[in-house]
Amino acid sequence: MILDDVSVPYEGLYLAGVDEVGRGPLAGPVVTAAVILDPDHPVEGLRDSKKLSERKREALFSVIQERALSWALGRCEVAEIDELNIHGATMLAMERAVAALAPPAEYVLVDGHRCPDWQWPSSPVVKGDGRVDAIAAASILAKVTRDREMVELDQQYPGYGLAGHKGYPTKVHIEALHAQGASPVHRRSFSPVSKL
């Protein structure tokens, strides 16, 4: 589904939606996904991943992977985020996701206000995860992937509560940072980590 107010100068089959998760956290990677949905095998219940329960996201995660014509993940690790800044890292992670699609995208819709400077014809869609099914699907794949990773990182670096807040700057997280200092998965370029 693409809402009528989203202008797409492409009517073919290989339309990819792209979204990211993890711009705001103090720890962990930024994860992106690109999805080309199959109109012959629709996925029911797609919407912005933030508006779905964890259980629903997990259920849709598998369905999207099974029914999509193509899907891929992209990412930038903490060192890349600190080197490039979060915007540059997010753009690079999106490019990595789209480049990994097979079959490849012919046109790309990107959630947000801008597209990376890349080889594919594309358009940004503000609040696209609520307006374009392929972007919603990408948001679900990215969020489930990153959330699972943060649970694993919580086991490697206990005491920060990463499994609960997923690296976002909650009160519990800030207090743990002051008590324990930064872990190897904390973003040194982000305040308040940089202040430590």
Side-chain angles (χ1 to χ4, degrees):
M1 174 202 65
I2 299 176
L3 297 185
D4 292 338
D5 65 338
V6 178
S7 176
V8 183
Y10 173 79
E11 296 180 358
L13 188 60
Y14 299 105
L15 175 70
V18 177
D19 202 1
E20 56 73 27
V21 175
R23 284 179 65 100
L26 305 178
V30 60
V31 176
T32 61
V35 178
I36 300 173
L37 292 173
D38 184 349
D40 293 331
H41 298 90
V43 179
E44 301 298 328
L46 290 174
R47 55 192 305 209
D48 176 0
S49 63
K50 296 183 291 296
K51 296 181 179 179
L52 295 169
S53 67
E54 181 178 356
R55 183 177 177 182
K56 184 64 174 175
R57 285 195 301 267
E58 288 282 349
L60 285 169
F61 184 84
S62 299
V63 176
I64 293 164
Q65 291 179 325
E66 290 168 6
R67 297 186 184 175
L69 283 175
S70 183
W71 65 270
L73 297 167
R75 60 191 295 120
C76 273
E77 305 298 342
V78 169
E80 293 176 298
I81 293 169
D82 286 340
E83 178 184 352
L84 298 172
N85 74 43
I86 188 59
H87 174 74
T90 301
M91 296 295 108
L92 178 57
M94 287 182 173
E95 186 170 355
R96 287 171 173 169
V98 176
L101 287 171
E106 293 179 349
Y107 200 91
V108 184
L109 295 177
V110 178
D111 184 55
H113 294 274
R114 65 180 71 181
C115 297
D117 182 14
W118 55 14
Q119 68 191 65
W120 300 277
S122 55
S123 301
V125 183
V126 177
K127 298 183 179 178
D129 44 13
R131 302 166 71 196
V132 178
D133 278 355
I135 296 177
S139 78
I140 291 166
L141 293 190
K143 180 160 179 57
V144 170
T145 299
R146 189 180 188 281
D147 283 359
R148 290 176 178 176
E149 290 185 21
M150 295 309 290
V151 171
E152 293 175 5
L153 289 176
D154 186 50
Q155 296 172 355
Q156 294 179 42
Y157 305 101
Y160 296 99
L162 296 175
H165 52 64
K166 307 299 189 289
Y168 284 89
T170 63
K171 182 180 179 183
V172 168
H173 193 182
I174 301 299
E175 289 174 350
L177 271 171
H178 284 287
Q180 297 181 210
S183 77
V185 294
H186 279 93
R187 302 172 181 178
R188 267 54 181 180
S189 58
F190 276 47
S191 180
V193 182
S194 61
K195 295 178 181 177
L196 299 174

